[in-house]
Amino acid sequence: MVLKTDISQDVRQLIEAVIEEASRISADVAEEVEEILQQGKDNPLPPNEAFQLLTKVITVLKRSASQRGDEAASKSLSGDINQIVEQIIQIREQVMLDTTEPTTQTKRLELVASNGIEPAPVRPTPCFQARSVPMCSGFVKTTDIKLWNENDRLDIHLGQFRQKNSRDPNPEELLDIMLSKMELPGIADDEKSDQFEIVELARSIAINGVRKPPILDINGTLLDGNRRVAACYYILNSNEFDSEQKRRVEYIQVWQLTEHATDDDRNAVVVSLNFESDCKLDWPDYIKARKVYEEWQAMLTLETRAAGRQRLAEMKRQLSQKFALGPDTTTVNRYLKMIEWVVDFEEYHINQKKRDPYEVKHRADRYFQYFNELTSGETKHGGIAFTLNQDDGLKHTVFDLLLDDKFTNVLQVRALKQTLNNPESRELLARARNESDLDLAQDYIQDAITTANLQGAQRRAVGADSRIESFVKWLEELPPRAFRDQIKPENLEGLLKALKLVEPMVKEILRERGIE
C-alpha cells in the first residue's frame, strides 16, 4: 500500500532539488521556479497536472540558460521538453513505488462462489459520474461486511455518538444506530422506532432477496448499501423470519472495487448513488391495491368451504407477507376496503351511467386516497360509510361529485361525516351534483360543509346549559373518596385545568350580571 505521507515527502525533496539547481543557474530564475512549484510542494499532483507543471519549469530554466549564455546549463537541459518531463515523471513514479510499506497491506475481503456462480468482473464496466469504475461480482458472508461508519446519511448520529463517547462506534453499535435501537436525543418520536425504515426493507428482502448488489471497497467496507446490509442483519437476528428466509441472506451478492481503485473512484460511486435519482416511479396505490384485491379473490375461490374469522385472519397474514407488507395486516385490510368502494364506484359509472370505462378507472386512480375516507365509520351510525350504504341515491351523488372533479381536496370528503347528516347540506350537495359550472359546484360543496359545521356548533351551544347543570349535580353528589380511589390522576389534572380555564370567564359574566 502506498503511503501518501511518504510520497509527499519524496516529491517535496525532488522539487526542492529542482529549485536548488535553478538557484545554481540564476537567483532570479530560482525565484520564478519556486513560485511555479509552490503548489507542487504543498499538494502532490496527479500525473497530468505534474506534467503541465514540470513543462513550465523546464521551459523557464532553458530560457534563462539561453539568455545568459550558460552552455553547461543549456547542455544539461538540451533535448525535447516533453522527453525531459517524461523522464522526471518516471523518476517520480519510481519514488512512489519505492515508498510502498509492505507491513500496511490492506486486508482484502475475498469473494466466493454461490449457487454455481463464480466471482467474475462486472461486465459491462459500471459507470459512475461519467467515470468507468472496474468491479468484480461475487458473494460474501453478510456478517463479514463492515457497515460504513463514514456514511453521510449517519452524519448527525455519528457526531452525537462521538461527542458522548469520544470514539467511533464499533460495528455492533453502528448496527444499533441503523436499527434505531440506540437512544439519541433529538430524533422525532415518530421516527424512533425505525428511522431508516429497515424493517420494511427487511421484509421485502426476506421474500425477494437482495436484488441490487451492495458495493464494497477492497477491504469489505460498504460504499453503498448500508440499509440493505442492516436489513439482512435484522433478518438473521429476528424471530419474524423463518429458516429459509434467514438462509437467503446468509450470503449475498456484492460488487467489489479492485485494488487499483482510487479515491476519485470511490467518491464517484458514493455521489452517483446518493445524489442522482434512479428515476424509478413507484406504482400508484390504486394499482398495488388492485393486485392485492385480485389475489385475495383468488385465495377465497380456492377455499373449499366458507372461511371462519380465524382462517380469514390467517389468509390475510399470508397475503400481506406475499406482497412484502409484513405480518401486520393493516395495509391489506385498508386496500381491500378501498377497492370494494372503487368497484362500487366503477360499476355505477360504467354500467348505470354508461361512462367510458377507462375514464372512470383514471378517476379512481387519481382520487384513490379519497376512497379511504369513504370507508370510515362502516358500522357506526353517522359514519360516512354507514350513511352512504343506507341511501344509494346519496352514495351516487357522492360518486358523481367525485368523477366530475367537484371535490377540491380530501378534507372535503372527510367532512362528509357532518354534511351527509344535515338536510340543508345534503340539498347543497345535490345542487353541486347538477351544476355544470365547476367553480359554482365547488362553492356549493364548501357551503354545504360550512352549513353543517355552523349548525353543529349551534346544537352544541344549545345543549351546553343542560350539560353543565347535569355535570354540576353529578359532581356535587360524588363522594369525596371517589376523587382519591376511583378517578385517574390524569383525569383529575384535566378537571382542575378545565376549572381554572373557565373560572375567570364565569366570574366576569357573573359580575356583569350583578352576581358576586
Side-chain angles (χ1 to χ4, degrees):
M1 177 179 177
V2 177
L3 298 179
K4 290 185 178 180
T5 53
D6 291 342
I7 295 173
S8 300
Q9 182 64 31
D10 285 327
V11 173
R12 288 193 184 95
Q13 291 175 358
L14 285 175
I15 291 173
E16 287 168 359
V18 173
I19 295 174
E20 183 178 349
E21 175 63 18
S23 298
R24 189 185 65 78
I25 297 173
S26 170
D28 61 309
V29 172
E31 183 177 347
E32 183 176 0
V33 169
E34 183 169 12
E35 182 179 348
I36 295 173
L37 292 176
Q38 188 61 47
Q39 57 179 305
K41 288 180 65 179
D42 296 335
N43 300 294
L45 303 174
N48 61 327
E49 295 181 20
F51 189 96
Q52 295 174 3
L53 183 63
L54 290 170
T55 298
K56 291 174 64 178
V57 170
I58 301 301
T59 300
V60 169
L61 292 176
K62 290 187 71 172
R63 184 183 68 240
S64 176
S66 176
Q67 290 174 347
R68 291 169 33 256
D70 189 332
E71 294 182 4
S74 295
K75 184 177 180 180
S76 65
L77 294 170
S78 62
D80 182 71
I81 290 179
N82 288 347
Q83 292 179 352
I84 298 173
V85 172
E86 286 286 0
Q87 291 174 356
I88 297 176
I89 292 293
Q90 290 174 10
I91 294 172
R92 175 178 181 268
E93 290 177 349
Q94 185 60 48
V95 171
M96 293 172 69
L97 292 175
D98 291 342
T99 57
T100 299
E101 181 62 57
T103 61
T104 59
Q105 290 290 327
T106 299
K107 183 178 179 181
R108 177 172 187 154
L109 179 63
E110 296 294 336
L111 304 181
V112 299
S114 180
N115 297 322
I117 302 175
E118 296 289 337
V122 177
R123 293 286 185 265
T125 301
C127 185
F128 303 91
Q129 293 275 287
R131 185 185 188 93
S132 293
V133 182
M135 295 186 188
C136 290
S137 175
F139 291 81
V140 296
K141 192 173 184 179
T142 297
T143 52
D144 287 341
I145 301 175
K146 305 173 186 176
L147 292 175
W148 190 24
N149 64 1
E150 296 181 17
N151 189 331
D152 289 331
R153 186 196 300 276
L154 303 177
D155 187 52
I156 299 175
H157 305 72
L158 295 174
Q160 281 183 289
F161 184 93
R162 291 169 182 139
Q163 183 184 55
K164 179 180 180 181
N165 300 282
S166 301
R167 62 176 176 82
D168 286 336
N170 61 38
E172 291 77 16
E173 291 165 334
L174 191 57
L175 181 61
D176 283 344
I177 293 175
M178 290 291 298
L179 296 177
S180 300
K181 291 183 178 180
M182 184 175 292
E183 186 69 27
L184 294 173
I187 297 176
D189 290 341
D190 60 347
E191 295 181 343
K192 285 184 177 179
S193 61
D194 189 16
Q195 184 179 11
F196 299 106
E197 301 180 5
I198 302 299
V199 175
E200 180 180 0
L201 178 58
R203 289 167 178 165
S204 174
I205 289 174
I207 295 173
N208 306 299
V210 179
R211 290 177 290 194
K212 183 179 179 182
I215 297 179
L216 311 182
D217 206 345
I218 192 71
N219 64 351
T221 299
L222 270 170
L223 298 181
D224 177 70
N226 258 23
R227 290 182 63 247
R228 275 162 277 160
V229 172
C232 291
Y233 273 98
Y234 180 81
I235 293 170
L236 291 171
N237 294 285
S238 173
N239 294 329
E240 179 182 326
F241 307 97
D242 59 34
S243 58
E244 175 61 22
Q245 291 170 327
K246 292 179 185 290
R247 186 199 62 77
R248 189 174 289 132
V249 299
E250 185 178 358
Y251 283 83
I252 61 175
Q253 187 178 29
V254 300
W255 287 2
Q256 185 183 46
L257 273 67
T258 70
E259 64 271 21
H260 305 295
T262 65
D263 285 342
D264 287 339
D265 292 333
R266 297 179 183 89
N267 290 335
V269 170
V270 172
V271 170
S272 177
L273 293 176
N274 290 281
F275 281 80
E276 297 176 359
S277 170
D278 61 6
C279 300
K280 182 179 182 296
L281 186 63
D282 288 337
W283 279 7
D285 275 355
Y286 171 78
I287 302 298
K288 293 179 182 178
R290 274 284 188 189
K291 300 296 288 186
V292 171
Y293 182 80
E294 290 168 3
E295 182 64 23
W296 175 245
Q297 295 301 312
M299 292 173 70
L300 292 176
T301 302
L302 294 175
E303 291 293 298
T304 57
R305 58 182 179 179
R309 179 177 299 179
Q310 288 186 342
R311 175 56 183 159
L312 288 173
E314 175 59 27
M315 290 170 64
K316 287 181 178 178
R317 280 193 290 272
Q318 294 174 4
L319 183 64
S320 185
Q321 294 277 18
K322 181 171 183 176
F323 285 95
L325 298 172
D328 187 342
T329 59
T330 300
T331 301
V332 163
N333 287 326
R334 178 167 59 87
Y335 277 169
L336 295 180
K337 287 182 179 180
M338 292 170 73
I339 290 297
E340 286 173 357
W341 277 84
V342 167
V343 169
D344 203 358
F345 171 83
E346 292 177 351
E347 287 181 349
Y348 164 69
H349 282 295
I350 295 170
N351 297 332
Q352 294 189 36
K353 302 288 292 231
K354 307 301 180 183
R355 304 290 290 264
D356 179 78
Y358 295 102
E359 177 191 2
V360 175
K361 292 179 182 295
H362 277 303
R363 284 294 194 278
D365 179 11
R366 179 177 180 181
Y367 296 122
F368 185 63
Q369 295 306 323
Y370 289 17
F371 290 95
N372 189 41
E373 300 297 331
L374 296 181
T375 66
S376 65
E378 191 172 24
T379 60
K380 183 178 179 181
H381 184 78
I384 297 176
F386 181 89
T387 302
L388 293 179
N389 283 329
Q390 304 304 309
D391 188 337
D392 282 346
L394 191 56
K395 179 191 291 187
H396 295 162
T397 294
V398 172
F399 284 173
D400 284 337
L401 295 173
L402 196 57
L403 186 82
D404 294 332
D405 298 322
K406 291 180 178 178
F407 288 112
T408 57
N409 56 64
V410 71
L411 296 179
Q412 289 189 333
V413 180
R414 187 174 302 168
L416 287 174
K417 181 178 180 180
Q418 288 77 38
T419 55
L420 293 177
N421 294 289
N422 182 287
E424 188 175 345
S425 295
R426 288 171 66 160
E427 175 61 30
L428 288 167
L429 290 178
R431 291 187 190 179
R433 177 191 192 183
N434 298 323
E435 179 57 57
S436 59
D437 184 288
L438 182 60
D439 290 337
L440 188 56
Q442 291 175 344
D443 287 342
Y444 280 140
I445 291 177
Q446 188 58 50
D447 289 345
I449 296 170
T450 303
T451 298
N453 289 339
L454 287 174
Q455 293 187 5
Q458 290 171 356
R459 285 196 301 272
R460 289 192 295 273
V462 169
D465 188 58
S466 60
R467 290 184 181 182
I468 291 176
E469 182 180 5
S470 298
F471 175 71
V472 170
K473 183 178 180 180
W474 173 83
L475 194 61
E476 289 176 341
E477 294 175 352
L478 187 68
R481 65 177 180 277
F483 286 93
R484 182 183 66 251
D485 301 335
Q486 300 178 21
I487 302 177
K488 296 178 180 179
E490 55 266 31
N491 290 332
L492 290 174
E493 291 177 358
L495 174 62
L496 182 61
K497 184 178 179 180
L499 293 174
K500 288 181 178 180
L501 178 66
V502 302
E503 182 182 16
M505 293 185 288
V506 171
K507 286 182 175 179
E508 179 65 25
I509 293 171
L510 293 176
R511 192 164 29 253
E512 291 175 356
R513 297 179 180 179
I515 303 173
E516 295 294 340

